[in-house]
Amino acid sequence: MMTDDESILMRAPLFRAMGPDITRSIVQNRVARSYDRGEPIFQQGDPAESFFVVFEGWVKLYREREGGDQVVVAIFTAGETFAEAAMFLGGRYPATAEAVSPARILRVDGGALRRAIIQKPQLAFDMLAAASLHLKQLVEQIEQLKSQSVPQRIADFLLDQVKNTRGPATIALPYEKSLIANRLGMQPESFSRALGRLRGLGVTVERESVHIQDVGKLAEFTERSSWSDET
């Protein structure tokens, strides 16, 4: 495994808790696979025999309704793992995973991890810690959907993409706007309208690029207790 890949791998809470030696024994000589945008990683109902680590790109986890609409459950990017809970529950994956940008993803054999846990039971607690982090993120997402207005949700999403806390910033949207809207619990048309309303806060959009005039000002807006939906 390349040094950069190992560094990304050790950013994942699960592998960071295991340490490099056990991580190498589980991953062994496996090589990350490249996926095209829109390519499935696994389908809902497939046998849950492995879990996955994202090295590059973005992955969505979604369930499909009877009418064909997709409900996005989670989005993952470099340094994050997914499907480990499904693998330990056994049976089949409860959702579909799909690359939403060109991506490199490592498939980790579930059997190798289970054998490592038998040898070192402490790893089971490390798994619980990683699962707790995913649960915490899910709870925060639900809280955001209930407590924030549509423009505030979008502002929060944009702020997650920048590193500085003050001054201007320009970011490239990591994936298509319709998926961002789905992830934030809104229709694409609502997303576009709300994005336009953020112009008053110094947010401008050109194709897939977003310019924020003042990151600090936008952050203050997300913390307000209320927001008028009127333009």
Side-chain angles (χ1 to χ4, degrees), residues 3 10 12 28 71 112 138 165 187 198 206 217:
T3 303
M10 297 309 297
Q28 297 178 347
V71 178
L138 181 60
T165 58
Q187 295 298 318
L198 293 178
E206 184 176 353
K217 181 179 179 180

Side-chain angles (χ1 to χ4, degrees), residues 108-123:
V108 182
D109 176 54
L113 181 55
R114 283 188 286 269
R115 288 191 294 273
I117 289 175
I118 292 173
Q119 295 174 4
K120 187 180 179 182
Q122 175 62 36
L123 293 181

Side-chain angles (χ1 to χ4, degrees), residues 99-161:
V100 296
S101 72
R104 279 201 314 122
I105 299 166
L106 180 69
R107 177 190 292 264
V108 182
D109 176 54
L113 181 55
R114 283 188 286 269
R115 288 191 294 273
I117 289 175
I118 292 173
Q119 295 174 4
K120 187 180 179 182
Q122 175 62 36
L123 293 181
F125 292 96
D126 297 337
M127 286 287 300
L128 285 174
S132 296
L133 179 61
H134 284 322
L135 178 60
K136 178 177 179 290
Q137 292 169 341
L138 181 60
V139 169
E140 288 174 349
Q141 178 189 342
I142 293 171
E143 181 182 8
Q144 181 192 56
L145 291 175
K146 288 183 173 293
S147 64
Q148 288 187 316
S149 67
V150 170
Q152 285 175 317
R153 279 180 251 162
I154 296 174
D156 245 348
F157 175 83
L158 296 177
L159 290 170
D160 283 342
Q161 314 305 312

Side-chain angles (χ1 to χ4, degrees), residues 37 72 175-183 186-188 191:
R37 175 182 173 183
V72 178
Y175 37 86
E176 60 192 29
K177 294 175 184 176
S178 60
L179 178 56
I180 297 173
N182 190 316
R183 186 73 183 94
M186 64 190 73
Q187 295 298 318
F191 176 83

Side-chain angles (χ1 to χ4, degrees), residues 1 5 30-35 53 55 104-107:
M1 182 178 294
D5 284 351
R30 290 180 175 269
V31 178
R33 176 187 162 184
S34 294
Y35 290 82
V53 188
F55 283 159
R104 279 201 314 122
I105 299 166
L106 180 69
R107 177 190 292 264

Side-chain angles (χ1 to χ4, degrees), residues 3-230:
T3 303
D4 289 347
D5 284 351
E6 185 168 339
S7 175
I8 293 172
L9 193 67
M10 297 309 297
R11 279 162 43 189
L14 173 60
F15 292 113
R16 189 167 61 245
M18 288 181 187
D21 292 339
I22 295 176
T23 295
R24 291 190 194 103
S25 71
I26 292 172
V27 174
Q28 297 178 347
N29 296 319
R30 290 180 175 269
V31 178
R33 176 187 162 184
S34 294
Y35 290 82
D36 294 327
R37 175 182 173 183
E39 186 174 355
I41 299 155
F42 57 76
Q43 299 279 0
Q44 181 176 333
D46 286 349
E49 298 171 343
S50 307
F51 71 103
F52 303 82
V53 188
V54 184
F55 283 159
E56 295 176 13
W58 295 82
V59 173
K60 70 176 178 181
L61 201 64
Y62 70 91
R63 291 178 61 88
E64 196 164 308
R65 293 175 175 170
E66 290 185 4
D69 293 337
Q70 293 182 3
V71 178
V72 178
V73 178
I75 300 284
F76 301 97
T77 191
E80 296 183 318
T81 59
F82 61 96
E84 59 265 50
M87 180 199 69
F88 271 95
L89 288 172
R92 302 182 181 276
Y93 294 118
T96 296
E98 179 184 300
V100 296
S101 72
R104 279 201 314 122
I105 299 166
L106 180 69
R107 177 190 292 264
V108 182
D109 176 54
L113 181 55
R114 283 188 286 269
R115 288 191 294 273
I117 289 175
I118 292 173
Q119 295 174 4
K120 187 180 179 182
Q122 175 62 36
L123 293 181
F125 292 96
D126 297 337
M127 286 287 300
L128 285 174
S132 296
L133 179 61
H134 284 322
L135 178 60
K136 178 177 179 290
Q137 292 169 341
L138 181 60
V139 169
E140 288 174 349
Q141 178 189 342
I142 293 171
E143 181 182 8
Q144 181 192 56
L145 291 175
K146 288 183 173 293
S147 64
Q148 288 187 316
S149 67
V150 170
Q152 285 175 317
R153 279 180 251 162
I154 296 174
D156 245 348
F157 175 83
L158 296 177
L159 290 170
D160 283 342
Q161 314 305 312
V162 302
K163 296 180 179 179
N164 51 306
T165 58
R166 287 289 183 271
T170 299
I171 61 172
L173 294 176
Y175 37 86
E176 60 192 29
K177 294 175 184 176
S178 60
L179 178 56
I180 297 173
N182 190 316
R183 186 73 183 94
L184 297 178
M186 64 190 73
Q187 295 298 318
E189 54 270 23
S190 299
F191 176 83
S192 298
R193 285 196 301 269
L195 197 56
R197 290 172 187 157
L198 293 178
R199 280 196 294 266
L201 293 167
V203 177
T204 55
V205 183
E206 184 176 353
R207 295 182 182 272
E208 305 306 315
S209 294
V210 177
H211 179 71
I212 303 170
Q213 190 174 32
D214 187 339
V215 172
K217 181 179 179 180
L218 192 63
E220 289 173 3
F221 161 70
T222 65
E223 296 170 0
R224 294 180 191 172
S225 59
S226 63
W227 163 263
S228 173
D229 283 334
E230 298 178 2

